[in-house]
């Protein structure tokens, strides 16, 4: 299967381990991945408050126009925020007036977009297209005995509601099981981590992240996995603050689900990007590293 | 900065121009769609911390209560989590309405740290087409003022240290788009179109 990858800005910084492990895992699964050439920032959900909704939409649409030049395969995002933005803008192209206006602006860069592509989230492609059987068939080190909290977060299943169930999602847990691990059920599976607010209102992020880690811990999880860069960063990097503020001693590693796949596929810790984890995963994952 | 609670209701000024202005914004049509069922506040991730609930904000926009709306912290605390949007029987994308309101608040001289962050972010997009996460923190610091930045840096040093030690904050900007000038032309044209009411 061919996919066009939209890496997003986090792929070069905070979520470098996500893209790296995703590409390694894709190789094992025989996915043919090509990055959108000359892609730009999707604008995230915040740019519209500065430049207005329409300009922000056009900014995101430029990526779709570039993707269309590369063929008709699906555009796949790894980041939930990118997925939300690109997917919602893609839908707007069904409206003729919007499409004409957006293409008017895009023509300044000699670009245009028909609205025909599909925007997908990597988690969905893994589950729906690759399939659990294939995911399972590549496992060489089953993660038997590992308890995993599949933290889905908010935007992944809610922004477009085009895959999984937005109130009771099962895709992530399905993948965790296919790798031989045990998905645990915890109350905060879908709670927002406050996303980009972590920098402007850290105290809110710390008090929001605390019950998420707490509920995963109480459910007996050894690690948390997530499909979203912001979730990963907030839970991982802010855990030290949670421990200070709430007098706890959590040492809960937070990984991208592709890192867990890489591990089960027998890839080394470098390919799995484990050294980018702030809370050390060494103890929890020692049987598989 | 903006945590000014809009709780003093003793004199409430109604301004029908304000309602019109919000309706004209890109997501204004959704404000008309709301049926005030009250589902959004029951699902909102941060309603405990908000001055006004998302439902109340819509009600007050329609009532033309400009000051109350624009001074509330609500739109700054909306995380774009889509939880309410997912459950709203009218399909109102509340987070998009909130972003329009941020825009409007800034137009009226009201700002919040969240907007400072968004502005630094947008500036990077204009300049290079992509953001540089390492530089974002620094530029945000400059924007909120050195004193505030030093306070933030001291308070958050464990978080920053973790990020640096694990090479999660690139020290140099990654490459941007090939021709950021063209991208700016696209965005400027889009802004023009939006101004003419074409969106
Ligand atoms: S859930 Fe939707 S219709 Fe109900 S009050 Fe909120 S925005 Fe209005
Ligand atoms: S999108 Fe905003 S208003 Fe809606 S539930 Fe999330 S934080 Fe609350």
């Amino acid at each position: 299967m061919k996919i066009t990858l939209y890496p997003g800005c986090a792929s070069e910084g905070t979520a470098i381990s996500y893209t790296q492990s995703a590409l390694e895992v894709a190789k094992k699964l025989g996915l043919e991945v090509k990055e959108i050439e000359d892609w730009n920032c999707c604008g995230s959900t915040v740019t519209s408050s500065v430049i207005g909704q329409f300009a922000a939409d056009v900014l995101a649409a430029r990526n779709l126009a570039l993707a269309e030049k590369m063929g008709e395969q699906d555009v796949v995002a790894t980041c939930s925020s990118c997925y939300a933005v690109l997917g919602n803008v893609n839908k707007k192209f069904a409206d003729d007036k919007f499409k004409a206006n957006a293409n008017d602006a895009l023509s300044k860069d000699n670009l245009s977009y028909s609205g025909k592509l599909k925007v997908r989230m990597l988690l969905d492609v893994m589950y729906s297209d690759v399939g659990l059987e294939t995911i399972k068939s590549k496992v060489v080190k089953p993660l038997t005995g590992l308890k995993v909290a599949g933290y889905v977060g908010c935007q992944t299943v809610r922004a477009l509601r085009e895959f999984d169930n937005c109130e009771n999602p099962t895709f992530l847990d399905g993948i965790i099981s296919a790798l031989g691990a045990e998905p645990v059920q915890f109350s905060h599976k879908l709670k927002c981590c406050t996303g980009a607010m972590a920098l402007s209102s850290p105290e809110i992020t710390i008090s929001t992240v605390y019950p998420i880690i707490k509920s995963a811990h109480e459910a007996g999880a050894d690690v948390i996995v997530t499909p979203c860069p912001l979730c990963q960063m907030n839970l991982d990097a802010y855990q030290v603050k949670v421990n200070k503020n709430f007098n706890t001693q959590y040492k809960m590693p937070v990984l991208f689900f592709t890192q867990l796949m890489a591990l089960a596929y027998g890839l080394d810790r470098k390919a799995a990007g484990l050294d980018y984890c702030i809370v050390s995963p060494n103890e929890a994952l020692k049987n598989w590293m | 900065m903006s945590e000014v609670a809009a709780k003093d209701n003793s004199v409430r000024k109604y301004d029908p121009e304000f309602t019109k202005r919000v309706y004209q914004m890109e997501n204004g049509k959704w404000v008309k769609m709301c049926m005030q069922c009250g589902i959004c506040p029951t699902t909102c991730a941060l309603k405990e911390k908000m001055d006004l609930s998302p439902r109340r904000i819509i009600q007050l926009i329609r009532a033309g209560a400009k000051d109350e709306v624009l001074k509330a912290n609500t739109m700054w605390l909306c995380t774009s989590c889509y939880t309410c949007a997912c459950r709203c029987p009218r399909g109102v994308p509340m987070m998009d309405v909130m972003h329009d309101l941020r825009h409007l608040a800034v137009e009226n001289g009201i700002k919040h740290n969240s907007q400072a962050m968004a502005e630094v972010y947008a500036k990077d997009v204009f300049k290079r087409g992509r953001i540089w996460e390492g530089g974002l923190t620094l530029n945000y610091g400059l924007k909120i003022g050195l004193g505030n930045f030093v306070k933030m840096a001291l308070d958050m040093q464990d978080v920053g240290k973790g990020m640096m030690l694990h090479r999660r904050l690139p020290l140099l900007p990654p490459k941007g788009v090939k021709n950021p000038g063209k991208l700016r032309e696209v965005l400027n044209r889009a802004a023009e179109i939006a101004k003419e009411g074409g969106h």
Side-chain angles (χ1 to χ4, degrees), chain A residues 4-219:
Chain A
T4 302
L5 178 71
Y6 177 75
C9 298
S11 70
E12 301 179 321
T14 51
I16 189 164
S17 53
Y18 193 7
T19 329
Q20 265 183 16
S21 56
L23 290 174
E24 294 284 349
V25 166
K27 249 189 256 164
K28 289 264 171 199
L29 292 167
L31 288 171
E32 215 182 292
V33 184
K34 266 200 209 141
E35 180 175 312
I36 297 181
E37 218 175 295
D38 203 36
W39 58 273
N40 59 268
C41 170
C42 72
S44 183
T45 39
V46 298
T47 308
S48 66
S49 70
V50 182
I51 63 176
Q53 183 75 58
F54 182 67
D57 287 348
V58 170
L59 173 72
R62 178 177 176 275
N63 295 305
L64 301 174
L66 291 168
E68 193 165 43
K69 283 191 180 176
M70 299 176 60
E72 285 180 11
Q73 55 277 7
D74 293 351
V75 177
V76 177
T78 42
C79 164
S80 301
S81 192
C82 300
Y83 166 68
V85 171
L86 295 177
N88 277 315
V89 169
N90 196 37
K91 277 190 185 170
K92 291 186 184 179
F93 272 83
D95 180 89
D96 287 337
K97 185 179 160 213
F98 177 90
K99 183 169 147 183
N101 283 329
N103 280 329
D104 175 344
L106 286 171
S107 70
K108 296 275 169 201
D109 199 3
N110 286 322
L111 290 167
S112 75
Y113 176 55
S114 71
K116 281 199 194 113
L117 298 178
K118 269 200 200 125
V119 175
R120 309 276 306 279
M121 180 77 181
L122 182 67
L123 177 66
D124 179 25
V125 172
M126 286 291 180
Y127 186 97
S128 311
D129 302 31
V130 174
L132 293 186
E133 279 313 309
T134 308
I135 290 179
K136 209 171 177 173
S137 71
K138 304 288 174 195
V139 173
V140 296
K141 282 190 195 169
L143 307 173
T144 319
L146 186 71
K147 293 188 171 173
V148 183
Y151 174 55
V152 180
C154 53
Q155 294 179 335
T156 305
V157 287
R158 285 182 173 136
L160 285 125
R161 300 178 290 286
E162 285 179 347
F163 70 94
D164 213 346
N165 182 313
C166 68
E167 301 292 354
N168 183 22
T170 59
F171 283 18
L172 188 54
D173 283 351
I175 292 177
I176 293 167
S177 301
L179 302 175
E182 183 194 330
V184 302
Q185 296 313 314
F186 62 114
S187 57
H188 281 59
K189 190 180 196 164
L190 289 166
K191 286 273 156 42
C192 170
C193 73
T194 75
M197 206 179 268
L199 265 173
S200 49
S201 309
E203 61 302 336
I204 294 184
T205 297
I206 293 161
S207 60
T208 309
V209 157
Y210 166 56
I212 300 173
I213 301 174
K214 182 167 182 264
S215 82
H217 176 79
E218 282 170 359

Side-chain angles (χ1 to χ4, degrees), chain B residues 69-84:
Chain B
V69 170
L70 292 186
K71 281 184 188 153
N73 66 1
T74 307
M75 57 272 201
W76 308 111
L77 294 194
C78 172
T79 61
S80 301
C81 74
Y82 286 80
T83 310
C84 61

Side-chain angles (χ1 to χ4, degrees), chain B residues 74-130:
Chain B
T74 307
M75 57 272 201
W76 308 111
L77 294 194
C78 172
T79 61
S80 301
C81 74
Y82 286 80
T83 310
C84 61
C86 175
R87 296 183 183 159
C88 170
R90 289 291 178 91
V92 174
M94 186 64 80
M95 53 284 151
D96 294 342
V97 174
M98 296 288 187
H99 291 142
D100 277 1
L101 290 177
R102 288 186 185 188
H103 202 80
L104 205 56
V106 173
E107 226 177 69
N108 283 271
I110 303 168
K111 269 205 188 187
H112 182 269
N113 284 352
S114 292
Q115 189 64 8
M117 192 67 215
E119 273 163 24
V120 166
Y121 192 101
K123 203 172 154 197
D124 233 13
V125 173
F126 261 84
K127 200 164 116 197
R128 315 171 43 254
R130 291 186 204 169

Side-chain angles (χ1 to χ4, degrees), chain B residues 2-199:
Chain B
S2 70
E3 310 285 335
V4 211
K7 282 183 183 122
D8 181 10
N9 290 348
S10 44
V11 213
R12 182 186 285 161
K13 270 192 266 158
Y14 294 104
D15 178 352
E17 285 309 310
F18 171 66
T19 311
K20 258 191 242 157
R21 174 81 178 95
V22 178
Y23 285 169
Q24 275 158 8
M25 296 187 79
E26 284 114 310
N27 296 296
K29 62 174 186 290
W30 293 108
V31 176
K32 295 184 193 164
M33 289 292 290
C34 169
M35 62 179 186
Q36 292 289 300
C37 69
I39 287 177
C40 49
T42 68
T43 68
C44 179
L46 286 172
K47 71 150 187 306
E48 313 291 340
K49 301 195 160 36
M50 288 176 176
D51 294 332
L52 302 168
S53 83
R55 180 202 64 82
R56 182 92 174 122
I57 279 277
I58 301 247
Q59 185 189 35
L60 290 173
I61 293 170
R62 290 168 172 176
K66 181 176 176 183
D67 288 353
E68 250 175 288
V69 170
L70 292 186
K71 281 184 188 153
N73 66 1
T74 307
M75 57 272 201
W76 308 111
L77 294 194
C78 172
T79 61
S80 301
C81 74
Y82 286 80
T83 310
C84 61
C86 175
R87 296 183 183 159
C88 170
R90 289 291 178 91
V92 174
M94 186 64 80
M95 53 284 151
D96 294 342
V97 174
M98 296 288 187
H99 291 142
D100 277 1
L101 290 177
R102 288 186 185 188
H103 202 80
L104 205 56
V106 173
E107 226 177 69
N108 283 271
I110 303 168
K111 269 205 188 187
H112 182 269
N113 284 352
S114 292
Q115 189 64 8
M117 192 67 215
E119 273 163 24
V120 166
Y121 192 101
K123 203 172 154 197
D124 233 13
V125 173
F126 261 84
K127 200 164 116 197
R128 315 171 43 254
R130 291 186 204 169
I131 57 154
W132 166 34
E133 290 177 314
L136 219 55
T137 319
L138 194 70
N139 289 326
Y140 170 68
L142 294 174
K143 188 128 190 161
I144 60 173
L146 201 57
N148 289 332
F149 186 44
V150 170
K151 200 172 148 286
M152 177 184 100
L154 285 176
D155 194 35
M156 297 307 284
Q157 57 182 324
D158 323 308
V159 174
K161 209 163 76 191
M163 295 292 284
M164 297 301 271
L165 274 176
H166 294 272
R167 292 175 292 136
R168 298 276 292 273
L169 282 180
L171 293 174
L172 292 172
K175 71 173 194 222
V177 297
K178 282 181 205 134
N179 194 339
K182 283 270 175 230
L183 178 66
R184 282 194 287 274
E185 278 180 44
V186 169
L187 296 179
N188 289 336
R189 176 70 192 128
E192 255 170 51
I193 296 170
K195 217 173 187 173
E196 293 155 10
H199 48 73

